[in-house]
Amino acid sequence: MSFLRDIPIRNKLTRIITITSSLALFLAFTSFAVFELTTSRQVMSKELLGIANIIGANCIAALEFDDRQPVEETLQSLKADLRVIAAAIYDEKGKIFVTYGKDEKAKSQIPKLAPLKVGVNYQNDFMEVSQPIFYKDKNLGTIYLQADLTSLYDRLKNYANISMMVLLVSFLITFLFSSHLKKLISEPIERLTKTVKTLGTGRLDIKAEVFSNDEVGILANAFNQMTDNLLKTTVSRDYVDNILRSMTDCLIVICPKGKIKSVNQSTLNLLKYEEGELLEQPIYKIFSDDEITIERLLTEKLLNEGIITNIENKFLEKNGKSIPILFSASVMRSANSDITGIVIVALDITLRKQTEETLIHAKDAAETANRTKSLFLANMSHEIRTPLNAILGYAQILLRRKDLDVEQRKSIETIDNSGKNLLELLNDILDISK
């Protein structure tokens, strides 16, 4: 960001706000689109794998007895799922046993032989799911599903178009807002800077230390020149007093011993004091910290560094109420480098602190809701799996009996397999819910 260093504050503020907000919106929309595509494809693949497992389990008996009609009826149930455009059941040799397609074009895209790759495979505009059908460790065949991804891509295109429109509108609003904001923030500083520069041109041979290249640095230098060269006359003192009273932020001038020498009207309005009640009073009277802390901050640290910036503290009103502030301070020196005073500029940050507290409460509420959701999912997981485990347990007990005929054993095995498939499907649903 070095290219912004020497740009005036009025332009710096507009550029930073516009660029930052636009970049943040662009990254947010891009992240959302990538997340939406990835999540949608993962959810869709899990759902199709679950459907494939259920259909495969329902086709076990028909594949064993080479009965195509039940398989065709089972595949016809896929009409209810608009995503599935084609499906096929292959026998153990990999040849087509039964096919399903919403139209002839969809049927023509079904592979003639069972796919070698098991699981999920993505093509241009569709998703392929293939799963082997096992029964008693015997491979009876393969189920193949083909789902259309066109609607998913169309939805992402709509998201992209909407995002671009929102980005453009947000860019315009941000630019207008920052243009208005720069007038509220930078123009008072610029007016004060021009005034101070005019007052500080009495001794051109004296150079003050430069801390920055923007208007704030010019302001600090101008104050040094002003106090060194113009406070010696009555006219200069009047100029200084007028500048102090015209500032919108709190401005306090103290002597090297820590007593208040001058305050502007903004300070009096904030602290509810009259000017005579503060002049010649120790500076720690208006700070919430104790005398030792304030003295160490405004003497040791300030004398070593020459300037301190963005220090958080609290002012005390006349009635004892504390006000959060952000203040900076700078040392004023004479031509002989002797310290003549300290300038303190403070900003009331009450609104900022209230906003921070609101955000903390919102964060705590969100974390509580998340813990409640996790507890609910854990309880639901237990309540759903318990009856299924009972069914599977009793099925296993029945399968151990020796007096079952072939038909009874096959029926119980069907119950056991269906229960396992249903349990796996419920596990997938609960994983998606989490």
Side-chain angles (χ1 to χ4, degrees):
M1 301 292 288
S2 59
F3 67 96
L4 294 173
R5 181 176 301 166
D6 297 330
I7 297 177
I9 289 179
R10 60 182 182 274
N11 296 329
K12 185 186 301 184
L13 182 65
T14 302
R15 294 186 186 183
I16 290 177
I17 294 177
T18 303
I19 294 173
T20 304
S21 60
S22 301
L23 181 59
L25 284 171
F26 176 76
L27 293 176
F29 288 136
T30 303
S31 302
F32 173 75
V34 174
F35 175 78
E36 179 70 16
L37 175 61
T38 305
T39 303
S40 299
R41 288 173 63 166
Q42 289 176 350
V43 171
M44 188 173 180
S45 63
K46 285 187 177 181
E47 292 176 352
L48 291 179
L49 286 172
I51 293 173
N53 289 330
I54 294 174
I55 293 176
N58 292 334
C59 295
I60 290 176
L63 287 171
E64 279 194 312
F65 294 102
D66 198 23
D67 188 358
R68 286 179 169 80
Q69 183 177 357
V71 178
E72 291 176 349
E73 294 175 355
T74 301
L75 292 184
Q76 288 300 317
S77 65
L78 293 173
K79 289 182 178 179
D81 195 330
L82 300 179
R83 299 171 299 179
V84 181
I85 59 176
I89 300 292
Y90 298 89
D91 59 20
E92 58 184 347
K93 296 180 180 180
K95 296 182 179 180
I96 291 178
F97 187 69
V98 173
T99 61
Y100 160 79
K102 290 194 173 182
D103 50 41
E104 293 301 324
K105 180 181 178 181
K107 281 188 175 182
S108 65
Q109 296 177 349
I110 298 175
K112 301 300 182 182
L113 297 176
L116 297 177
K117 184 178 180 181
V118 176
V120 180
N121 184 34
Y122 295 97
Q123 298 296 335
N124 292 331
D125 292 328
F126 56 87
M127 176 193 298
E128 295 179 328
V129 175
S130 60
Q131 286 284 87
I133 302 174
F134 286 100
Y135 179 68
K136 292 184 176 180
D137 298 330
K138 178 183 177 183
N139 188 354
L140 300 179
T142 304
I143 179 171
Y144 169 82
L145 299 178
Q146 187 179 108
D148 188 13
L149 295 177
T150 304
S151 59
L152 174 61
Y153 294 147
D154 290 341
R155 184 173 61 184
L156 290 176
K157 290 179 182 178
N158 293 333
Y159 284 161
N161 293 332
I162 294 173
S163 299
M164 288 301 299
M165 293 178 61
V166 172
L167 183 61
L168 292 175
V169 173
S170 301
F171 181 86
L172 178 60
I173 294 174
T174 303
F175 179 79
L176 295 176
F177 174 75
S178 60
S179 298
H180 177 69
L181 188 62
K182 74 177 184 180
K183 295 180 180 180
L184 300 177
I185 295 178
S186 64
E187 287 185 358
I189 299 177
E190 290 178 344
R191 289 195 296 267
L192 178 60
T193 301
K194 292 178 181 178
T195 303
V196 175
K197 285 179 66 177
T198 302
L199 297 175
T201 56
R203 291 283 303 276
L204 298 178
D205 57 327
I206 296 177
K207 302 295 181 181
E209 185 177 358
V210 177
F211 300 105
S212 60
N213 296 324
D214 58 12
E215 288 83 355
V216 178
I218 297 173
L219 177 62
N221 292 332
F223 262 111
N224 284 334
Q225 294 178 353
M226 177 181 61
T227 53
D228 287 341
N229 303 315
L230 301 179
L231 281 178
K232 298 177 181 179
T233 65
T234 303
V235 176
S236 297
R237 188 175 298 277
D238 291 339
Y239 284 155
V240 173
D241 292 339
N242 290 334
I243 293 173
L244 295 179
R245 286 174 172 78
S246 68
M247 289 187 64
T248 55
D249 292 337
C250 298
L251 192 145
I252 306 168
V253 179
I254 63 176
C255 68
K257 294 182 178 181
K259 290 186 177 182
I260 299 174
K261 291 299 182 182
S262 178
V263 294
N264 66 347
Q265 190 61 42
S266 296
T267 306
L268 299 175
N269 294 338
L270 181 65
L271 301 181
K272 308 296 189 298
Y273 278 105
E274 297 294 334
E275 186 175 16
E277 295 176 313
L278 289 180
L279 295 181
E280 299 301 327
Q281 295 296 319
I283 186 62
Y284 59 80
K285 178 178 181 179
I286 63 173
F287 278 93
S288 63
D289 286 339
D290 56 74
E291 177 182 355
I292 297 176
T293 302
I294 296 301
E295 184 178 358
R296 182 182 298 114
L297 182 64
L298 293 180
T299 56
E300 297 178 7
K301 184 176 178 62
L302 186 59
L303 293 178
N304 291 333
E305 300 180 9
I307 185 173
I308 56 175
T309 58
N310 298 330
I311 305 297
E312 283 197 22
N313 210 299
K314 291 182 179 180
F315 274 166
L316 288 177
E317 287 186 1
K318 184 177 180 180
N319 58 11
K321 178 183 176 182
S322 62
I323 304 172
I325 59 161
L326 189 70
F327 78 92
S328 301
S330 177
V331 173
M332 298 185 296
R333 297 181 183 275
S334 65
N336 299 324
S337 297
D338 296 329
I339 297 176
T340 59
I342 297 173
V343 177
I344 301 173
V345 180
L347 174 66
D348 181 7
I349 57 172
T350 301
L351 182 59
R352 181 193 303 180
K353 289 297 183 181
Q354 293 174 350
T355 303
E356 291 176 356
E357 292 179 1
T358 302
L359 292 175
I360 291 173
H361 291 324
K363 174 178 175 292
D364 293 339
E367 291 176 348
T368 301
N370 187 52
R371 288 193 296 270
T372 303
K373 181 201 72 172
S374 299
L375 181 60
F376 171 77
L377 287 176
N379 292 334
M380 286 300 299
S381 173
H382 174 73
E383 294 299 330
I384 292 175
R385 290 187 176 96
T386 298
L388 271 178
N389 289 331
I391 294 172
L392 293 173
Y394 279 111
Q396 292 294 327
I397 292 172
L398 290 174
L399 287 175
R400 297 193 190 103
R401 297 185 59 171
K402 305 299 183 180
D403 55 348
L404 298 176
D405 57 30
V406 175
E407 188 65 26
Q408 289 175 334
R409 183 169 296 278
K410 183 175 293 185
S411 299
I412 296 172
E413 289 174 347
T414 301
I415 293 173
D416 184 58
N417 290 330
S418 299
K420 290 178 179 178
N421 289 328
L422 182 57
L423 181 60
E424 183 178 354
L425 178 61
L426 287 174
N427 289 334
D428 290 340
I429 293 174
L430 289 173
D431 289 340
I432 293 173
S433 300
K434 291 176 182 178

